[in-house]
Amino acid sequence: MDEHSPEVATAIEAAVKASELCQKIRKDLVGGESILKSDRSPVTIADYGSQAILCKLIRERFPHDTIVAEEDSKELRRPDRSKILGQVTDYVNTFIPTASSKEVCSWIDFSSNAITERFWTLDPIDGTKGFLRADQYAIALALIENKVVTLGILACPNLYVDMQQPLGEKGCLFVAVKGKGSIQMDLKGVSKRTISVSKIKNSSEATMTESVEPDHADHLFHQRLAKKLNISKPSLRMDSQAKYGMVARGEVTLYLRVPSPSEPGYRENIWDHAAGSIIAEEAGGMVTDILGHPLDFSCGIKMEKNHGVLVSNGILHDMVLKAIHM
Ligand code: AMP
Ligand code: MG
């Protein structure tokens, strides 16, 4: 696969449309309506709308591919959710005018839990809590072939384009193809530049990024680790896989995700890491779990074989792994 492959074009087209839909909803959002799923995580009309658009396009272009995505339409089909389903359909109609509510639900349900030889995994909105706070979120899409991530796309509508200008223009699209490097595009998928990780060798010059949510990572452990590594700059807290993009474009050196003590048995979802991991790796970075094992996206929707995540510029990886276990 290369940047001209139909998979890449489709993934970019789908992510651009989905991010336009999410931004539209974000702009209109009053009060931040959301449904709480059985695991207490929030899901919004944007999550559903984004997944419907992404799944429809992928299934249309690649009818034989499996899709493993975060949402399903079970909650949405409940009679007492009809208002929300109507809103989802209205927003999808701005892209696909003829779509009915029934079709929207059926597109969302193109997703299954089947890990096949070749499958797509997608998070229609990664960092829903960030989305609700008008903070960072990402549309994350990856293609996995024979257990290897071969394509990753991250659309980050709220992430500033130029690291020298954090108050400047916003909206980035990160794209990585296995063996072909990582690029950053604008949110229309037009302009592009090659990105690479930082060349920092000395950990005291490094910077770290971590989740905003204290339940998603052990912030105290991260702080102690930073001290061991003589990292003096405070950690940058950011929602979603935008953190992978930050390491990939060399803006931060490390992304740490040591499991939170509030949920020690938590296992990461494949759609929360597949796209981000290839973008960091193809930019020259290294991605493992906190035991140094490669991320394994092949055992189900949960990454049962992995414990936490460490993303680095590669140069500092072993040093950080040692410090974690010191
Ligand atoms: P982040 O924005 O990096 O904090 O990650 C958001 C993702 O964290 C969501 O998509 C959830 O799937 C995932 N998540 C939910 N609970 C946990 C947890 N206890 N530990 C780690 N990640 C979690
Ligand atoms: Mg997510």
Side-chain angles (χ1 to χ4, degrees):
M1 200 185 327
D2 62 29
E3 61 176 309
H4 305 295
S5 303
E7 285 87 348
V8 180
T10 300
I12 292 175
E13 184 184 338
V16 167
K17 279 194 181 143
S19 57
E20 275 175 27
L21 175 125
C22 293
Q23 281 171 291
K24 208 171 171 50
I25 296 174
R26 183 55 258 172
K27 233 169 94 194
D28 299 349
L29 202 65
V30 186
E33 249 183 282
S34 65
I35 301 174
L36 275 186
K37 291 192 279 190
S38 54
D39 64 357
R40 311 292 301 157
S41 61
V43 57
T44 66
I45 52 172
D47 292 74
Y48 289 126
S50 170
Q51 179 158 326
I53 284 182
L54 287 155
C55 283
K56 179 184 185 286
L57 203 63
I58 294 168
R59 181 54 54 88
E60 219 167 71
R61 306 273 172 86
F62 305 101
H64 304 297
D65 288 355
T66 313
I67 306 171
V68 180
E70 179 162 20
E71 311 302 342
D72 63 56
S73 76
K74 205 169 124 230
E75 284 283 334
L76 204 53
R77 287 178 195 262
R78 275 174 35 182
D80 58 325
R81 304 284 197 214
S82 62
K83 185 179 155 219
I84 295 180
L85 177 56
Q87 287 174 311
V88 176
T89 309
D90 286 347
Y91 277 106
V92 173
N93 283 159
T94 60
F95 293 89
I96 309 162
T98 56
S100 66
S101 290
K102 210 170 151 200
E103 281 173 316
V104 167
C105 287
S106 73
W107 296 338
I108 292 170
D109 291 335
F110 282 156
S111 165
S112 76
N113 286 348
I115 306 294
T116 50
E117 211 171 275
R118 173 177 149 122
F119 69 98
W120 297 80
T121 188
L122 80 92
D123 195 340
I125 292 195
D126 181 32
T128 305
K129 288 179 179 168
F131 174 78
L132 287 167
R133 277 192 254 103
D135 214 327
Q136 294 304 326
Y137 66 96
I139 290 108
L141 177 60
L143 178 63
I144 299 177
E145 296 177 276
N146 299 313
K147 305 186 179 188
V148 176
V149 186
T150 52
L151 166 65
I153 309 274
L154 271 185
C156 304
N158 267 344
L159 190 65
Y160 46 89
V161 173
D162 181 352
M163 48 201 255
Q164 306 301 330
Q165 294 179 14
L167 298 176
E169 194 194 334
K170 284 179 176 175
C172 310
L173 191 69
F174 296 100
V175 183
V177 175
K178 185 81 184 163
K180 308 283 179 197
S182 289
I183 55 169
Q184 180 182 315
M185 305 177 97
D186 60 69
L187 256 197
K188 296 250 173 277
V190 181
S191 73
K192 59 178 160 186
R193 67 178 176 93
T194 302
I195 51 170
S196 54
V197 296
S198 89
K199 305 273 186 296
I200 286 174
K201 292 190 191 75
N202 190 336
S203 69
S204 64
E205 292 165 29
T207 48
M208 261 171 51
T209 181
E210 62 189 1
S211 287
V212 174
E213 297 295 327
D215 288 344
H216 293 181
D218 190 343
H219 288 160
L220 265 178
F221 188 100
H222 294 178
Q223 262 171 36
R224 287 198 297 270
L225 187 74
K227 214 167 168 187
K228 275 191 219 171
L229 294 164
N230 294 316
I231 296 175
S232 54
K233 290 199 193 103
S235 189
L236 176 70
R237 291 197 175 154
M238 189 177 258
D239 299 288
S240 84
Q241 286 168 74
K243 294 187 280 296
Y244 279 99
M246 294 291 277
V247 176
R249 68 185 188 185
E251 202 161 351
V252 294
T253 333
L254 305 167
Y255 162 23
L256 258 169
R257 197 177 184 92
V258 173
S260 165
S262 68
E263 265 190 85
Y266 182 82
R267 287 290 177 268
E268 302 286 342
N269 300 312
I270 54 172
W271 52 75
D272 283 331
H273 297 282
S277 65
I278 186 174
I279 288 161
E281 283 173 349
E282 285 296 325
M286 193 159 177
V287 183
T288 65
D289 70 3
I290 60 166
L291 300 168
H293 300 139
L295 300 189
D296 186 335
F297 299 106
S298 69
C299 42
I301 62 168
K302 289 283 177 187
M303 293 159 59
E304 297 291 350
K305 295 190 184 146
N306 295 118
H307 194 65
V309 176
L310 170 64
V311 186
S312 78
N313 66 346
I315 304 167
L316 293 175
H317 208 87
D318 282 348
M319 185 195 288
V320 179
L321 278 177
K322 274 192 198 115
I324 289 174
H325 300 287
M326 225 156 65

